[in-house]
Every structure is written in structure tokens, then in C-alpha cells.
């Protein structure tokens, strides 16, 4: 209050013009009505059609039904655990060996199926390769085969060149041999 200059209340009232209480509202009403009509026009332009409303309604109904079914499922599961937990605990010495056996059998069966599929895929690849159908990866296989052949021929040439040298060294070490 100390920073503001002190004004007399009589001076303040005399400098202001008298206002009508409805003066500002008429301007706002005109402005609001034009804004409202523009808003309603835009709303009407973006309003969903009947097929969109039917789709939204069916989405809401099916979502509600699925939510209800999920709730019933969770409730039934919890009640089932409450009822059957004592029975499971009393019979667990029987269930554990049976469960372990079923796990081993199932794991073996799944492994056998996986190995069978791998075997069939491998045999199919080999068949297509030897029939000249160029299966995926055959170019890499050919490259590896040529590298092995080249290496083997280099080793053979090296052994042929230096084979006599090694034979002479063996005779020097064991003259009677």
C-alpha cells in the first residue's frame, strides 16, 4: 500500500463514467452467439454418421461382455483354488511324481518332433542341392567345398615337394632304415 499514491474515494468515483449493468453483456452475447453458431457448424461437420455410431455401440457392448467374462473367469479361478487347495496338498505325494513323469515324456516328445523336423528339412535341402535346384545357402556350401579342395591340393603339393627332404633326414637319423 505504501507504493501506491493515496487517492480519495470521491475522486475515483467522479472520474469514472457511469456504466449500465447490461452494457458488456450485449457485446458478449453477440460475440458468443456467432462463436456458438461457428462451433455448432464445425460440430455438425465432424459429427459421426449412423454406421460409426453403430460401430461404437457394438464396440462398447462387446467390450462390456468381454470384461464381464474376464471377471467371471478370475472369480471362478480364485474360488477353484480355495476349494481344491486342500485336496491338492493332501494328494501332492502322488501328483509330483506323475507331473515329473509327464514333464519328461512331453519334453522328450517335443524334442523328438523338433529333431524330426530338422532332419526332414536337412534331407530336403540335400535333395534339392544334388538335383541342382540351388537351395538357400548352396553358394556358401560350394565356396567352402572349393576352399577345402584348394587347401588339400596345396598340402599335397607341399608334401610332394618336401617329402624327399624328410625321407633323407630319416635316413640320416637311422642309416639302416
Amino acid at each position: 500500500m505504501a507504493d501506491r499514491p493515496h487517492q480519495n474515494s470521491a475522486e475515483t468515483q467522479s472520474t469514472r463514467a457511469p456504466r449500465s449493468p447490461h452494457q458488456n453483456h450485449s457485446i458478449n452475447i453477440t460475440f458468443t452467439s456467432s462463436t456458438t453458431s461457428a462451433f455448432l457448424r464445425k460440430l455438425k461437420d465432424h459429427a459421426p454418421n449412423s454406421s460409426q455410431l453403430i460401430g461404437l455401440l457394438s464396440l462398447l457392448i462387446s467390450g462390456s461382455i468381454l470384461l464381464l467374462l474376464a471377471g467371471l473367469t478370475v472369480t471362478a479361478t480364485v474360488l477353484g483354488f480355495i476349494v481344491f487347495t486342500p485336496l491338492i496338498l493332501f494328494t501332492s505325494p502322488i501328483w509330483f511324481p506323475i507331473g515329473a513323469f509327464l514333464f519328461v515324456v512331453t519334453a522328450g516328445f517335443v524334442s523328438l518332433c523338433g529333431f524330426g523336423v530338422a532332419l526332414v528339412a536337412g534331407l530336403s535341402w540335400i535333395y534339392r542341392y544334388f538335383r541342382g535346384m540351388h537351395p538357400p545357402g548352396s553358394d556358401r556350401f560350394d565356396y567352402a567345398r572349393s576352399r577345402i579342395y584348394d587347401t588339400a591340393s596345396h598340402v599335397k603339393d607341399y608334401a610332394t615337394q618336401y617329402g624327399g627332404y624328410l625321407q633323407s633326414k630319416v635316413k640320416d637319423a637311422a642309416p639302416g632304415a
Side-chain angles (χ1 to χ4, degrees):
M1 291 231 159
D3 349 344
R4 278 197 244 158
H6 181 63
Q7 293 180 348
N8 190 353
S9 64
E11 284 178 21
T12 309
Q13 289 176 358
S14 66
T15 56
R16 283 190 190 162
R19 288 187 176 173
S20 162
H22 301 289
Q23 184 180 8
N24 288 342
H25 293 295
S26 66
I27 295 171
N28 286 340
I29 289 172
T30 308
F31 180 70
T32 306
S33 67
S34 68
T35 305
T36 305
S37 65
F39 175 72
L40 289 175
R41 198 175 325 112
K42 285 185 179 180
L43 184 63
K44 195 179 248 186
D45 290 341
H46 295 303
N49 57 21
S50 61
S51 64
Q52 289 174 333
L53 287 176
I54 299 257
L56 180 66
L57 184 64
S58 65
L59 178 70
L60 289 175
I61 290 172
S62 60
S64 301
I65 290 171
L66 289 174
L67 186 63
L68 177 73
L69 289 175
L72 289 174
T73 303
V74 168
T75 304
T77 303
V78 169
L79 289 176
F81 277 140
I82 290 171
V83 170
F84 290 113
T85 298
L87 179 66
I88 291 171
L89 286 176
F90 288 132
T91 59
S92 64
I94 298 169
W95 289 109
F96 182 75
I98 291 173
F101 175 74
L102 288 177
F103 175 75
V104 169
V105 167
T106 303
F109 179 73
V110 169
S111 297
L112 183 67
C113 289
F115 290 140
V117 167
L119 178 70
V120 168
L123 290 176
S124 169
W125 189 91
I126 290 171
Y127 175 77
R128 287 187 293 159
Y129 179 76
F130 285 119
R131 296 288 284 177
M133 296 181 196
H134 301 290
S138 63
D139 53 345
R140 295 176 69 190
F141 183 77
D142 291 337
Y143 176 73
R145 186 176 58 178
S146 68
R147 287 286 309 263
I148 291 171
Y149 177 77
D150 290 343
T151 304
S153 66
H154 282 42
V155 168
K156 178 183 166 194
D157 293 342
Y158 184 80
T160 309
Q161 288 176 357
Y162 294 103
Y165 174 76
L166 290 176
Q167 288 295 330
S168 67
K169 291 294 181 187
V170 169
K171 287 184 180 180
D172 291 341

